[in-house]
Amino acid sequence: MKVEDVPQDLKFTEGTPVRHPIYAVDSEGKYQMVNSVGWEAKNEAIQWQLDAVQEECDEVLERIKKGESTLLEYYAVKNLMTVELLAHYADIPKRKVRKHMSDPEAFANLDEKTLSAYAEALRMTVEELKTFPEK
């Protein structure tokens, strides 16, 4: 690919400092690194992943409405965090994280310290963590 042909598709990176280094051939035939802000194939892959995450979030919301899950699971899924990762960042045992994700009563009875640990790990406030999301 030539330097002037490096794609610059802003679909997901507009207004952000995100750049992707790509090697391209300059006018002298030498490789050089050129920054790209995105390209169609990569954007399609990102969109596919975002759609999959949204679908999983919708499934969790349905389970919450049935009393089979909690907002903690929803926000973990939305933030691409596994039980293991959330447990690590919140410094809470995986066993407890699983319970707090699946047992609405256990989640409702969490103390402020535990809620704060989860909120910090998810980069949100405790109030946001306890609030059902609007679509």
Side-chain angles (χ1 to χ4, degrees):
M1 176 183 314
K2 294 182 180 178
V3 169
E4 59 271 7
D5 296 332
V6 172
Q8 302 294 334
D9 186 350
L10 291 170
K11 183 173 182 177
F12 291 105
T13 57
E14 189 167 16
T16 70
V18 174
R19 302 292 179 264
H20 308 278
I22 295 177
Y23 286 93
V25 178
D26 65 16
S27 60
E28 297 175 10
K30 296 179 182 177
Y31 281 98
Q32 72 176 53
M33 188 171 60
V34 179
N35 283 326
S36 171
V37 293
W39 52 296
E40 186 179 359
K42 187 171 190 170
N43 288 342
E44 287 179 20
I46 291 170
Q47 188 62 58
W48 179 84
Q49 185 61 43
L50 290 173
D51 292 344
V53 169
Q54 185 58 53
E55 187 176 315
E56 189 174 356
C57 285
D58 291 343
E59 291 170 6
V60 174
L61 288 176
E62 287 304 313
R63 288 199 307 273
I64 291 170
K65 290 175 185 175
K66 293 177 185 176
E68 300 169 353
S69 188
T70 69
L71 288 169
L72 180 62
E73 181 182 12
Y74 170 80
Y75 288 114
V77 168
K78 185 175 180 180
N79 286 282
L80 307 175
M81 294 187 90
T82 62
V83 168
E84 293 78 13
L85 194 58
L86 182 56
H88 175 76
Y89 281 115
D91 196 27
I92 296 171
K94 291 181 279 190
R95 168 184 60 78
K96 288 187 176 184
V97 173
R98 281 189 195 91
K99 182 171 181 74
H100 298 155
M101 284 183 166
S102 63
D103 184 346
E105 188 175 337
F107 181 72
N109 292 322
L110 288 176
D111 59 49
E112 197 66 26
K113 180 181 176 189
T114 305
L115 286 169
S116 293
Y118 282 133
E120 185 177 332
L122 294 165
R123 294 185 178 190
M124 59 192 329
T125 67
V126 171
E127 283 308 309
E128 289 171 325
L129 180 60
K130 295 171 17 179
T131 303
F132 198 84
E134 294 182 24
K135 282 209 157 191

